[in-house]
Amino acid sequence: MAKKGYIIPKNEDEPGRARVYTLKMVIKAAAMSNLLQTGYTLKAAAAQVDERMRPAQTIYHLLADRYQGYEVADNGQILVDLGPFDPQPDQELFVKLVGDKVKFELKDKQE
């Protein structure tokens, strides 16, 4: 898998050193291995894993881009700060769980 370029070490630009892999590559290798055992070709397994990982990667990038931190309200509620609200940049967008429901809240931007 590594020789074909499907599994890429984090330190690929350091020849002669022990390979170091990201968690993403370890998960990809394990998922590909499972698919290979069920009869997939290497190319098909790589394509299938990439397609299955795409939604998770999108969610990760969205959250990593927007996450600004969190606040704990007086009542103990955790408010996740998603940064400026695009249509109203003077407002900050927060998200919280109320029971099992996701609720959004806008607050004046703290300067």
Side-chain angles (χ1 to χ4, degrees):
M1 283 187 268
K3 289 183 181 180
K4 299 280 186 181
Y6 296 115
I7 306 299
I8 302 163
K10 181 178 175 181
N11 61 341
E12 69 178 320
D13 57 344
E14 299 175 15
R17 303 217 29 178
R19 293 184 189 107
V20 176
Y21 294 93
T22 63
L23 179 59
K24 176 182 167 185
M25 284 296 129
V26 172
I27 291 169
K28 183 176 181 177
M32 285 178 63
S33 176
N34 287 337
L35 290 174
L36 289 169
Q37 290 175 20
T38 64
Y40 277 78
T41 65
L42 185 59
K43 185 177 180 178
Q48 187 67 229
V49 169
D50 286 343
E51 187 59 30
R52 290 178 184 180
M53 289 176 78
R54 207 163 60 95
Q57 290 171 322
T58 299
I59 291 167
Y60 170 81
H61 287 294
L62 288 171
L63 290 175
D65 180 60
R66 292 303 309 245
Y67 179 76
Q68 302 293 309
Y70 68 94
E71 294 179 8
V72 179
D74 293 339
N75 65 0
Q77 181 80 52
I78 296 175
L79 302 166
V80 177
D81 183 353
L82 296 179
F85 184 56
D86 295 342
Q88 297 171 300
D90 61 327
Q91 299 280 298
E92 295 278 332
L93 179 63
F94 287 83
V95 64
K96 61 185 175 181
L97 280 178
V98 177
D100 61 349
K101 304 275 189 219
V102 174
K103 301 288 183 181
F104 293 94
E105 183 176 315
L106 288 175
K107 291 182 166 190
D108 288 331
K109 193 172 185 177
Q110 307 258 332
E111 306 264 339

